[in-house]
mmCIF file of all heavy atoms in Angstrom:
data_model
loop_
_atom_site.group_PDB
_atom_site.id
_atom_site.type_symbol
_atom_site.label_atom_id
_atom_site.label_comp_id
_atom_site.label_asym_id
_atom_site.label_seq_id
_atom_site.Cartn_x
_atom_site.Cartn_y
_atom_site.Cartn_z
ATOM 1 N N SER P 187 11.923 30.039 -43.773
ATOM 2 C CA SER P 187 12.729 28.842 -44.035
ATOM 3 C C SER P 187 12.913 28.627 -45.539
ATOM 4 O O SER P 187 13.988 28.204 -45.985
ATOM 5 C CB SER P 187 12.129 27.607 -43.358
ATOM 6 O OG SER P 187 10.788 27.431 -43.734
ATOM 7 N N ILE P 188 11.902 28.946 -46.336
ATOM 8 C CA ILE P 188 12.067 28.848 -47.790
ATOM 9 C C ILE P 188 13.091 29.876 -48.262
ATOM 10 O O ILE P 188 13.997 29.566 -49.045
ATOM 11 C CB ILE P 188 10.713 29.064 -48.513
ATOM 12 C CG1 ILE P 188 9.788 27.873 -48.255
ATOM 13 C CG2 ILE P 188 10.934 29.237 -50.024
ATOM 14 C CD1 ILE P 188 8.393 28.036 -48.826
ATOM 15 N N ALA P 189 12.998 31.107 -47.738
ATOM 16 C CA ALA P 189 13.923 32.163 -48.154
ATOM 17 C C ALA P 189 15.370 31.788 -47.811
ATOM 18 O O ALA P 189 16.272 31.934 -48.645
ATOM 19 C CB ALA P 189 13.535 33.481 -47.477
ATOM 20 N N LEU P 190 15.603 31.294 -46.594
ATOM 21 C CA LEU P 190 16.967 30.937 -46.189
ATOM 22 C C LEU P 190 17.516 29.797 -47.047
ATOM 23 O O LEU P 190 18.690 29.787 -47.429
ATOM 24 C CB LEU P 190 16.997 30.548 -44.702
ATOM 25 C CG LEU P 190 16.879 31.710 -43.706
ATOM 26 C CD1 LEU P 190 16.687 31.194 -42.288
ATOM 27 C CD2 LEU P 190 18.124 32.594 -43.766
ATOM 28 N N THR P 191 16.640 28.828 -47.359
ATOM 29 C CA THR P 191 17.077 27.701 -48.188
ATOM 30 C C THR P 191 17.520 28.194 -49.563
ATOM 31 O O THR P 191 18.600 27.819 -50.050
ATOM 32 C CB THR P 191 15.933 26.685 -48.350
ATOM 33 O OG1 THR P 191 15.493 26.278 -47.047
ATOM 34 C CG2 THR P 191 16.389 25.462 -49.134
ATOM 35 N N LEU P 192 16.696 29.043 -50.172
ATOM 36 C CA LEU P 192 17.039 29.561 -51.502
ATOM 37 C C LEU P 192 18.322 30.388 -51.435
ATOM 38 O O LEU P 192 19.200 30.262 -52.292
ATOM 39 C CB LEU P 192 15.879 30.385 -52.066
ATOM 40 C CG LEU P 192 14.613 29.573 -52.360
ATOM 41 C CD1 LEU P 192 13.505 30.469 -52.884
ATOM 42 C CD2 LEU P 192 14.906 28.445 -53.363
ATOM 43 N N LEU P 193 18.448 31.198 -50.391
ATOM 44 C CA LEU P 193 19.635 32.042 -50.230
ATOM 45 C C LEU P 193 20.907 31.199 -50.171
ATOM 46 O O LEU P 193 21.914 31.498 -50.835
ATOM 47 C CB LEU P 193 19.486 32.846 -48.935
ATOM 48 C CG LEU P 193 19.967 34.288 -48.961
ATOM 49 C CD1 LEU P 193 19.161 35.081 -49.975
ATOM 50 C CD2 LEU P 193 19.820 34.914 -47.571
ATOM 51 N N VAL P 194 20.868 30.128 -49.378
ATOM 52 C CA VAL P 194 22.045 29.269 -49.246
ATOM 53 C C VAL P 194 22.406 28.650 -50.591
ATOM 54 O O VAL P 194 23.581 28.573 -50.963
ATOM 55 C CB VAL P 194 21.792 28.168 -48.187
ATOM 56 C CG1 VAL P 194 22.685 26.957 -48.415
ATOM 57 C CG2 VAL P 194 22.044 28.720 -46.798
ATOM 58 N N TRP P 195 21.393 28.251 -51.373
ATOM 59 C CA TRP P 195 21.700 27.588 -52.646
ATOM 60 C C TRP P 195 22.128 28.580 -53.710
ATOM 61 O O TRP P 195 22.952 28.253 -54.570
ATOM 62 C CB TRP P 195 20.535 26.703 -53.081
ATOM 63 C CG TRP P 195 20.640 25.414 -52.331
ATOM 64 C CD1 TRP P 195 20.239 25.182 -51.044
ATOM 65 C CD2 TRP P 195 21.288 24.212 -52.764
ATOM 66 N NE1 TRP P 195 20.593 23.918 -50.661
ATOM 67 C CE2 TRP P 195 21.213 23.295 -51.690
ATOM 68 C CE3 TRP P 195 21.900 23.813 -53.947
ATOM 69 C CZ2 TRP P 195 21.761 22.010 -51.776
ATOM 70 C CZ3 TRP P 195 22.427 22.518 -54.038
ATOM 71 C CH2 TRP P 195 22.349 21.637 -52.957
ATOM 72 N N ILE P 196 21.589 29.778 -53.629
ATOM 73 C CA ILE P 196 22.083 30.817 -54.546
ATOM 74 C C ILE P 196 23.551 31.096 -54.225
ATOM 75 O O ILE P 196 24.399 31.171 -55.116
ATOM 76 C CB ILE P 196 21.224 32.098 -54.410
ATOM 77 C CG1 ILE P 196 19.827 31.841 -54.987
ATOM 78 C CG2 ILE P 196 21.889 33.278 -55.121
ATOM 79 C CD1 ILE P 196 18.827 32.935 -54.679
ATOM 80 N N LEU P 197 23.856 31.195 -52.948
ATOM 81 C CA LEU P 197 25.242 31.420 -52.528
ATOM 82 C C LEU P 197 26.142 30.282 -52.999
ATOM 83 O O LEU P 197 27.239 30.498 -53.514
ATOM 84 C CB LEU P 197 25.301 31.550 -51.002
ATOM 85 C CG LEU P 197 26.678 31.841 -50.403
ATOM 86 C CD1 LEU P 197 27.138 33.234 -50.790
ATOM 87 C CD2 LEU P 197 26.646 31.703 -48.876
ATOM 88 N N ALA P 198 25.657 29.039 -52.829
ATOM 89 C CA ALA P 198 26.455 27.886 -53.231
ATOM 90 C C ALA P 198 26.777 27.940 -54.723
ATOM 91 O O ALA P 198 27.928 27.734 -55.133
ATOM 92 C CB ALA P 198 25.726 26.592 -52.891
ATOM 93 N N TYR P 199 25.779 28.259 -55.537
ATOM 94 C CA TYR P 199 26.027 28.303 -56.984
ATOM 95 C C TYR P 199 26.865 29.515 -57.371
ATOM 96 O O TYR P 199 27.712 29.437 -58.256
ATOM 97 C CB TYR P 199 24.700 28.262 -57.752
ATOM 98 C CG TYR P 199 24.292 26.836 -58.039
ATOM 99 C CD1 TYR P 199 23.503 26.135 -57.135
ATOM 100 C CD2 TYR P 199 24.755 26.182 -59.179
ATOM 101 C CE1 TYR P 199 23.165 24.812 -57.362
ATOM 102 C CE2 TYR P 199 24.425 24.864 -59.419
ATOM 103 C CZ TYR P 199 23.624 24.181 -58.510
ATOM 104 O OH TYR P 199 23.304 22.875 -58.734
ATOM 105 N N ALA P 200 26.651 30.636 -56.667
ATOM 106 C CA ALA P 200 27.402 31.856 -56.989
ATOM 107 C C ALA P 200 28.883 31.686 -56.685
ATOM 108 O O ALA P 200 29.737 32.258 -57.358
ATOM 109 C CB ALA P 200 26.837 33.037 -56.205
#
Side-chain angles (χ1 to χ4, degrees):
Chain P
S187 55
I188 290 175
L190 286 171
T191 304
L192 294 179
L193 219 62
V194 156
W195 279 80
I196 290 169
L197 182 68
Y199 271 90

